Each structure stands twice: as C-alpha cells, then as structure tokens.
Amino acid sequence: MKFPGKPRSQPAASLPLCLILLKILQPGHSHLYSNRYAGDKVIRLIPNTEEEAYTLKKLCHQLKVDLWQPSSISYVSEGTVTDVHIPLNGSRALLAFLQEANIPYKILIEDLQKALEEGSSSQAQRNRRSLSEYNYEVYHSLEEIQNWMHHLNNTHSGLIHMFSIGKSYEGRSLLVLKLGRRSRAYKRAVWIDCGIHAREWIGPAFCQWFVKEALLTYRSDPTMRKMMNHLYFYIMPVFNVDGYHFSWTNDRFWRKTRSRNSRFRCRGVDANRNWKVKWCDEGASMHPCDDTYCGPFPESEPEVKAVANFLRKHKKHIRAYLSFHAYAQMLLYPYSYKYATIPNFSCVESAAYKAVNALQSVYGIRYRYGPASSTLYVSSGSSMDWAYKNGIPYTFAFELRDTGHFGFLLPEVLIKPTCTETMLAVKNITMHLLKKCP
C-alpha cells in the first residue's frame, strides 16, 4: 500500500548530537522504561461483600496501587470487577491479604515488564515506521503521529486540511484533521477524538486507521464516499498530547494531563473529568494525586478548553461527537453523570444497537452498550455529557478492546482486528446520522 506514505523525517544534520547518539545507541527492548515494571503484576479481584470492598479500598490506598479498572477506587463495591497494577514489593502483601480474606482473584499479568516487551513488535519491525510506507499496525509516538498528519496535509489536500486549535500545557500543538470533500454546500460534521487518557494507546491507533481507511476506500466504497461527500470529520488523533508523550518516555500507565499544581507535587488532571457538566461531582476526585482529579476548575486544562471552544464555535453543524477510550468493549452514550434517560433516547439507542451488531459481525467480539451511568459507572465532568448538553445530538464514548486480558497493553497484532471492527461501528453511526432518525 503506497499511501498514505512516509512522513518526511528531519535531516540528521539538524538533530542535536545527543539525539543522534541516542538513535544509534537505542537500547533493545529489555530496557523499555528502564525496566521499571519488572515483577509488577496485574491482578483481577472481585470483593464478595461491602466489608471486603472497604478493606480492599484501604489496602489499595496503603499499597499505592495503579487502578486499571474501574478508574477510581470510589467505584469499588460488592461485586465490582477490579483490576489493579501492583508493584513487585506490594504484590506479596496484597496476595497474602486476598488469600487470608478469601477474596477470589486472578493474576491477569504475571510480569508487566515482560508483557510490555512482548506486546510491541521487534526493533526490526519498529524501524519500518520510517520507511516509505507508514505502518498502521504498530503504535506510534506523538512525534511520528504529528509528522504523519503534516505529511497527509501536504499530500492529500483534496480531502484533508490540518489545523491547530491551540497549545497544550507543555506548549505542544493541538492538531486536528478536517476530512471530507470540500463543497460550497452546507455540510454537517462529526467530531472524533482519541487519546484523552494517555495510556489508552489503541485510541490514537484507531484515529489514524480511520483516516487511512477514508483515503484508501473513498473511491471504491459507496458508504465511505457518501460519508466524505455529505459530511466533514474533525479528527483529533491525540487529545492529551503531553500525557501521551509522557506515556512513551516515562510511565507507560500515565492517564492524566501533565499540568502542575501549585500546592501539590502530583501532576495532571483527568481530561475526562474537567468539563463543565456537573463538574467534580460523583466519580471525580478533588485530590490532585488521584487519577480522576477533576482539576482546580472546569476547563482548567488548555487541551480541554481548546476542544470545548472549538465545539462551541461549530456546534451548529457538528451533529455527532465520538470519543475513543480503552478498555472494556462498550459503546456508551449519555448520561454519564446521572441515571436518567436522554430526550432522543430511541434514536441514539437504535444507532448504538446497530453499531454494536455491525462490530460483532466481523470477529464475534461482543460489546455492551447503553447509558454510561448504568453500563459503566456514574462520572461527572465528561466530554460526552458536555457535548450532548451543548447541543450535539449524537454523542458516544467507545471503550475499545479488550476486557482485561491485556488491558492497556493491547498487543500490536490486535490493532488491525480492533480497528477493522470499530470502523464498521463508526460507519454505522455515521450513516444513521445521514438518514433522519427513525
């Protein structure tokens, strides 16, 4: 496949010497993240009683675990499937407690460092990134993704226009691709963002896949042609650019943004709890060290503010908002912050039902679907609820593969099947949008 091809790489001459040396001396996979996860485990447990849940919460707090599922310890109650990433030294204490208390558990990942190294392709394949054909079946760093965006903007100007909607906390550009056939006629639009949470790498991989599919099949596939002719797609492959970059360089399991807080050492805000809709209520934390920290005030994060401003400015023609997360295999729609039925429930529900069926038709992967509050959990200040409240009638959040076997470390060999099936779901929602809702 010749295009969308090679992002032009910087000439070596303009690279600082230390970077050139780094490229030459790039260590093999045994030193990914300086081996920091060696011996760490991911354990799934399900408390049987509220008492067990309470003890578990206390223990998790003491042992400083990294919670993979659910996103906040406050959600853990009787029967909650709980996935925890625990450092080597804490895992002995946790396992001893679980055995003592008779809480059923299962070790999902025996050695996180090993899983990390096995999930990504060998160095030889990795180098294929820079050859003439961009590889959509590996995970890409922020720099590679942004080079790829610039490249498409230069080579596919008929269908693609790239622009920046602002700067991140650390000063990186917040880039968006506008995809679709230019026309003088008024066109409705769909917004798609990926990577609000840094560690959910399959998100940005899907955003890139979507763009590739549009460019490759626009002429041959009638559905795609219709989508490109009748709609614009605003695609933001990496929403949380600072966090995503940090998850490549420092901590693979970082979730939040990277903003600093004056009173605390802990950095970052949960960019999906920072929106002005029931802000910092249930399912969000006021503590800067928590993974679901809502921030000092709504839209405190420049990334959130930039997207909110863009959506506010274009809300007349943006008819759908899709946000991609991992992991859980769910298709969620509002409300997330309360148990209540949205006014256009029947339209949205039938779109979700069809999308999930289309997705399942490919590899038999089952997704649960429904209102986020009752399907996943109640969470306030989310982008999906905010978009809906701001007049976008179809708002969805996808939780992509898997259901915990690999968790955030979805191997690169699963990028293609995951994106292929998700593509069908997105096309389904889009076509639903073009037909007047039944």
Side-chain angles (χ1 to χ4, degrees):
M1 187 167 69
K2 272 290 176 272
F3 75 95
K6 174 194 175 188
R8 277 189 292 278
S9 55
Q10 241 179 320
S14 64
L15 283 172
L17 184 63
C18 58
L19 273 180
I20 294 170
L21 281 173
L22 254 175
K23 279 186 180 298
I24 298 165
L25 301 171
Q26 227 168 17
H29 268 305
S30 59
H31 301 295
L32 268 180
Y33 302 96
S34 319
N35 230 12
R36 71 178 278 181
Y37 307 109
D40 288 17
K41 292 185 180 350
V42 177
I43 299 169
R44 167 165 295 181
L45 31 116
I46 305 172
N48 293 313
T49 62
E50 284 306 337
E51 192 183 9
E52 282 180 7
Y54 176 72
T55 320
L56 193 64
K57 284 183 189 179
K58 261 181 29 185
L59 192 71
C60 284
H61 223 76
Q62 285 162 355
L63 296 174
K64 296 219 184 323
V65 306
D66 162 29
L67 202 58
W68 281 21
Q69 208 75 283
S71 59
S72 162
I73 199 77
S74 63
Y75 295 130
V76 176
S77 61
E78 178 187 340
T80 307
V81 174
T82 309
D83 295 348
V84 297
H85 158 210
I86 186 147
L88 178 61
N89 52 10
S91 61
R92 294 189 188 97
L94 181 64
L95 290 172
F97 163 74
L98 295 173
Q99 282 154 2
E100 181 68 32
N102 231 344
I103 298 176
Y105 71 89
K106 177 181 172 192
I107 296 178
L108 294 177
I109 299 175
E110 195 65 68
D111 183 323
L112 200 52
Q113 185 69 30
K114 279 204 182 91
L116 198 64
E117 288 159 14
E118 286 162 5
S120 65
S121 49
S122 68
Q123 204 64 36
Q125 263 187 296
R126 192 138 303 281
N127 294 340
R128 289 223 314 271
R129 300 165 180 288
S130 56
L131 297 176
S132 63
E133 293 169 16
Y134 192 74
N135 187 355
Y136 291 89
E137 296 177 36
V138 296
Y139 294 117
H140 289 280
S141 67
L142 181 69
E143 188 190 6
E144 287 165 358
I145 295 172
Q146 294 195 332
N147 285 342
W148 166 82
M149 293 172 80
H150 282 281
H151 174 73
L152 291 187
N153 190 46
N154 295 334
T155 52
H156 293 274
S157 53
L159 274 180
I160 284 185
H161 166 62
M162 182 184 75
F163 58 96
S164 168
I165 55 169
K167 289 255 192 279
S168 70
Y169 180 82
E170 294 180 336
R172 295 180 173 90
S173 292
L174 302 172
L175 300 177
V176 175
L177 293 176
K178 182 183 185 182
L179 187 59
R181 254 194 76 190
R182 302 216 183 117
S183 76
R184 275 166 307 210
Y186 171 82
K187 275 175 45 161
R188 289 169 298 174
V190 173
W191 170 276
I192 298 180
D193 65 56
C194 297
I196 273 193
H197 293 138
R199 60 190 176 183
E200 301 167 8
W201 286 11
I202 187 61
F206 174 73
C207 267
Q208 293 170 84
W209 191 275
F210 181 88
V211 174
K212 161 190 78 99
E213 283 297 300
L215 295 176
L216 284 181
T217 66
Y218 161 68
R219 288 193 172 81
S220 57
D221 172 29
T223 306
M224 188 59 85
R225 189 157 56 245
K226 198 166 180 181
M227 284 161 60
M228 292 298 117
N229 286 344
H230 294 276
L231 295 162
Y232 284 122
F233 288 83
Y234 293 110
I235 297 163
M236 189 176 194
V238 188
F239 182 114
N240 175 8
V241 286
D242 298 346
Y244 185 73
H245 178 73
F246 190 75
S247 76
W248 273 77
T249 56
N250 290 63
D251 180 359
R252 174 63 184 83
F253 305 107
W254 187 258
R255 168 184 167 96
K256 300 188 285 180
T257 62
R258 292 293 298 156
S259 54
R260 288 179 188 276
N261 186 293
S262 51
R263 297 201 315 282
F264 289 85
R265 223 185 52 244
C266 299
R267 288 181 69 165
V269 166
D270 184 337
N272 206 30
R273 301 287 186 281
N274 191 233
W275 299 73
K276 202 171 181 171
V277 54
K278 204 74 166 158
W279 175 78
C280 217
D281 207 301
E282 197 178 337
S285 165
M286 292 176 79
H287 199 287
C289 293
D290 289 345
D291 258 348
T292 51
Y293 175 44
C294 59
F297 52 89
E299 294 180 26
S300 61
E301 303 312 283
E303 302 83 358
V304 172
K305 190 163 195 57
V307 174
N309 282 342
F310 182 84
L311 294 174
R312 272 190 284 264
K313 195 172 149 190
H314 297 277
K315 69 176 183 190
K316 287 271 192 294
H317 74 287
I318 294 178
R319 308 314 293 150
Y321 171 93
L322 309 179
S323 191
F324 289 84
H325 296 254
Y327 59 98
Q329 292 174 195
M330 291 177 179
L331 176 52
L332 308 168
Y333 48 83
Y335 295 107
S336 191
Y337 74 92
K338 63 178 179 182
Y339 298 107
T341 305
I342 50 174
N344 62 339
F345 173 79
S346 64
C347 284
V348 170
E349 204 268 350
S350 80
Y353 169 76
K354 287 175 184 161
V356 163
N357 277 341
L359 187 149
Q360 194 184 330
S361 73
V362 195
Y363 303 105
I365 297 292
R366 289 181 182 279
Y367 267 53
R368 290 171 57 200
Y369 68 97
S373 52
S374 53
T375 312
L376 189 57
Y377 40 63
V378 171
S379 73
S380 54
S382 76
S383 65
M384 176 185 73
D385 278 350
W386 183 89
Y388 188 77
K389 285 279 197 185
N390 270 268
I392 299 176
Y394 287 88
T395 70
F396 292 98
F398 279 80
E399 291 281 351
L400 299 178
R401 292 199 201 186
D402 59 8
T403 53
H405 182 75
F406 295 110
F408 299 120
L409 292 186
L410 194 71
E412 291 181 325
V413 290
L414 294 179
I415 294 176
K416 183 179 182 175
T418 302
C419 292
T420 303
E421 67 197 9
T422 307
M423 208 56 217
L424 280 193
V426 173
K427 283 168 133 179
N428 238 277
I429 288 171
T430 308
M431 293 313 277
H432 193 88
L433 192 71
L434 285 173
K435 305 183 182 87
K436 279 279 174 273
C437 172

